[in-house]
Amino acid sequence: MTIYQNLIAGEWVGTNATKNINPSDTNEVVGLYADGSAEDTKNAIAAAKAAFPAWSRSGIWERHVILKKAGDEIMARKDELGALLAREEGKTLPEAIGETIRASQIFEFFAGEALRLAGETMPSVRPNIGVEITRDPLGVIGIITPWNFPIAIPAWKIAPALCYGNTIVFKPAELVPACSWAIVDILHRAGLPKGVLNLVMGKGSVVGQAMLDSPDIAGITFTGSTGTGKRVATSSIEHNRKFQLEMGGKNPMVVLDDADLTVAVEAAANSGFFSTGQRCTASSRLIVTEGIHDKFVAALTEKLKTVVVDNAMKAGTHIGPVVDERQLKTDIDYIEIGKKEGAKLAFGGELLTRDTPGFYLQPTLFTEATNQMRISREEIFGPVVSVIRVKDYEEALATANDTPFGLSSGIATTSLKHATHFKRNAEAGMVMVNLPTAGVDFHVPFGGRKGSSYGPREQGKYAAEFYTTVKTSYTLA
Ligand code: NDP
């Protein structure tokens, strides 16, 4: 079998490899992908450092052309790349193709942003002096990504890093190297100079740690768990390095008595269970007022009965498998914890057997949960959702905000007054009204607050805040 190698200083290198396994069919090896070492990582950082002076001064048209070519190729290959994504991560083929289209759109957006780089000029408060405010690239950016969005998250970090003139060392999650390899191959063939984008696949504890330990990385952008995020933060402070963290969520969706029941059930089912609940923006707490509670639970349970859990590549599958055995064990452990804590298992909770061996779990709904239970406070990252009954809007809002996290927060209501109040008072980076808490646009800021995120927002023009540093120049006329 071919080994998909690492890209270091413009050369494909590496003979050690690990298997990329399909979670929908554990007999299938998606491919063999390089298992990089600390030495590889050091070489990649050195290559990115050497490539920085020339790339940081490259013309905006050159950057535009490369980013545009990448976006165009990803779009042209959306079905093939979507299938690769579905096979390595387990989200359904339509979801995977949708994510691939989004990756293409992100490259197209930043191809445009490269042509819109601008600064400000203004008079000084002193006579005969002019002031210019410009943005410089940071230097070498370390990119560390999780497994749940194998093409979109790499795209939304790589595209702005290149657009603003930075060079890159990129380490994808070990579970999903295939889409990352494909993006890097596309950008390499699109004409990126040697060393501008380096790919080091391998273990977080080896490759990721070597990146954290390097004094030559000027900024690290990280998406993943809270635990690893804290390591990124500590090491970055030690090296006086800029860092940006996107971490977990325990996103609430409030359902008020006056909600449109169909809208509320669709939004809850989508954001709680689609992508197997493995989205940082998934709603895992449904906070429902008394008057609609029983109707809502009954309708959501009916909906869950119709949901098809099966091989991600099969037509008609609504929910694919859990990503791997470790995550499946975590989900099952939390289902047991929920039962022991006294929540009522209203639906699901069982492992499923399908034609192909995989990590299939029923969507699982707990009712009679309280916001103090571990299933309501800790991120599970699987298709496990709890319903918390509350008296009124005020209690719903207080419960929604009573969490260490603050990524996304939703409300289902037909009341303009409550929707407006909720938008103002939800302690989250993103607020959704009558929409799932998951599912965001590519051209506007993405990120959270409290324990979910640290540093500037990602995506849209706000991405410049992280990938550039501001310079103020004074000139005597
Ligand atoms: P991890 O934190 O385990 O992994 C994220 C990345 O960090 C992986 O590439 C991993 O490598 C790497 N890593 C692991 N250890 C180290 C280390 N010591 N030094 C440097 N890098 C390291 O998270 P998961 O990939 O398991 O993702 C799931 C988590 O991510 C969930 O908690 C979820 O909420 C969160 N997430 C948050 C999002 C957001 O935007 N807020 C979006 C998506 C996910 P390896 O894979 O090789 O272990």
Side-chain angles (χ1 to χ4, degrees), residues 144-149 153 156 171-175 202-205 208-209 212 222-226 228-229 231-232 246-249 280 326 379 381 407 446 452-453 458:
I144 303 178
T145 56
W147 49 259
N148 64 337
F149 282 92
I153 294 181
W156 85 49
K171 183 229 147 346
E174 218 199 342
L175 277 178
K203 292 179 184 54
S205 55
Q209 194 59 46
L212 304 196
F222 168 84
T223 302
S225 63
T226 309
T228 313
R231 295 173 87 110
V232 174
E246 288 302 338
M247 301 175 288
C280 47
R326 200 181 63 159
E379 185 178 53
F381 220 55
L407 188 57
F446 175 91
S452 289
S453 303
E458 301 199 76

Side-chain angles (χ1 to χ4, degrees), residues 55 62-73 107 162 183-193:
W55 182 250
E62 181 183 358
R63 294 183 208 170
H64 167 84
V65 167
I66 292 170
L67 292 169
K68 175 89 174 62
K69 262 193 195 171
D72 290 349
E73 182 171 338
F107 277 103
L162 295 176
I183 292 196
V184 171
D185 171 54
I186 288 169
L187 282 160
H188 180 56
R189 285 186 291 97
L192 268 186

Side-chain angles (χ1 to χ4, degrees), residues 310-330:
D310 207 331
N311 191 314
M313 294 295 287
K314 222 175 181 176
T317 297
H318 298 123
I319 299 180
V322 172
V323 74
D324 72 348
E325 197 162 8
R326 200 181 63 159
Q327 183 61 51
L328 184 64
K329 182 176 179 318
T330 303

Side-chain angles (χ1 to χ4, degrees), residues 250 273 283-288 343 364-370 373 375-377 380 384-388:
K250 196 72 196 174
F273 301 103
S283 303
S284 44
R285 293 183 297 142
L286 304 175
I287 299 164
V288 187
T364 302
L365 187 70
F366 279 110
T367 54
E368 312 306 329
T370 71
M373 292 176 176
I375 54 164
S376 304
R377 299 209 78 77
I380 301 171
V384 184
V385 172
S386 34
V387 178
I388 300 165

Side-chain angles (χ1 to χ4, degrees), residues 176-234:
V176 292
C179 290
S180 294
W181 190 93
I183 292 196
V184 171
D185 171 54
I186 288 169
L187 282 160
H188 180 56
R189 285 186 291 97
L192 268 186
K194 285 183 181 195
V196 171
L197 171 61
N198 302 274
L199 170 70
V200 193
M201 298 173 285
K203 292 179 184 54
S205 55
V206 178
V207 176
Q209 194 59 46
M211 289 165 71
L212 304 196
D213 294 341
S214 172
D216 290 327
I217 294 191
I220 292 195
T221 174
F222 168 84
T223 302
S225 63
T226 309
T228 313
K230 284 190 175 152
R231 295 173 87 110
V232 174
T234 312

Side-chain angles (χ1 to χ4, degrees), residues 117-150:
L117 292 179
E120 285 181 85
T121 59
M122 55 183 76
S124 164
V125 291
R126 293 169 283 165
N128 302 324
I129 291 176
V131 184
E132 277 172 34
I133 301 160
T134 51
R135 288 185 176 274
D136 281 352
L138 273 189
V140 178
I141 300 284
I143 295 180
I144 303 178
T145 56
W147 49 259
N148 64 337
F149 282 92

